[in-house]
Amino acid sequence: MKIHQYILGCLCAAVSLVSTSACATEQRLEENAVRAFHQRLEAGQQDLIYANASDFLRGQLSEAQFRQFLAQTRNLGRFQETERAHYTRAKVPGHPDLVVAFYNSRYEKASCLESFTWHVEPNGLKLATYSCAPNMKVTCPGGASCETSPVPAPGIAGLP
């Protein structure tokens, strides 16, 4: 009996390790997708962001509308840094799974709460939605629930 428990324990540990590894890999893919998004936005390559987005996003916005939408973020100045505050994966029956991530990002003229939703597709993560809430940030203590709060604009209250 002890041998069966040992084998079962090893099997459970192996499944847990693979699951954890898969999750970590997906999170790295998501971080790389956000990095590529920021690099392309900074380089003025909104067309490339749009071309690589999900069918869902392209069905909601024309490329011209998407460019206009992203212009609001570009107006915040040069991208400086970002930190992921929350990450989750959600199953959607009959549709690709979604990866949702919130980032507290800093641009030259303002901080921004960025929200990314990615479709998990066979050939990678595809941008489904994006938003940027200027002068806002999110905190997710323990990852259970997230709260947004205002951030003073640069130059106010002694901030650079």
Side-chain angles (χ1 to χ4, degrees):
M1 185 69 165
K2 291 190 186 245
I3 292 176
H4 292 296
Q5 288 173 337
Y6 174 76
I7 292 172
L8 182 59
C10 288
L11 182 58
C12 288
V15 168
S16 176
L17 182 60
V18 169
S19 176
T20 301
S21 176
C23 184
T25 299
E26 183 176 88
Q27 288 185 22
R28 273 194 301 279
L29 288 174
E30 187 272 330
E31 289 172 344
N32 290 339
V34 168
R35 187 176 308 110
F37 174 91
H38 286 128
Q39 290 170 345
R40 290 171 178 166
L41 185 65
E42 187 72 27
Q45 297 176 323
Q46 297 91 328
D47 58 331
L48 196 52
I49 296 171
Y50 186 81
N52 289 307
S54 69
D55 290 340
F56 174 82
L57 185 142
R58 290 193 314 271
Q60 300 297 309
L61 298 170
S62 68
E63 186 173 344
Q65 291 169 319
F66 186 69
R67 284 175 169 277
Q68 186 176 13
F69 179 73
L70 288 182
Q72 297 170 5
T73 303
R74 291 201 67 202
N75 287 338
L76 298 178
R78 292 187 58 85
F79 173 75
Q80 295 178 339
E81 64 183 343
T82 192
E83 179 182 13
R84 184 172 58 200
H86 185 69
Y87 168 95
T88 190
R89 182 176 178 148
K91 296 212 174 285
V92 182
H95 298 282
D97 287 1
L98 298 177
V99 168
V100 180
F102 297 113
Y103 282 78
N104 292 315
S105 299
R106 186 171 184 142
Y107 287 83
E108 182 179 30
K109 298 177 186 173
S111 293
C112 174
L113 164 55
E114 291 183 302
S115 171
F116 295 89
T117 304
W118 307 92
H119 278 164
V120 179
E121 298 184 5
N123 56 347
L125 300 177
K126 300 289 185 175
L127 186 64
T129 66
Y130 168 78
S131 68
C132 169
N135 300 316
M136 295 296 289
K137 70 176 184 177
V138 66
T139 54
C140 303
S145 64
C146 297
E147 297 178 9
T148 58
S149 58
V151 174
I156 297 175
L159 294 175

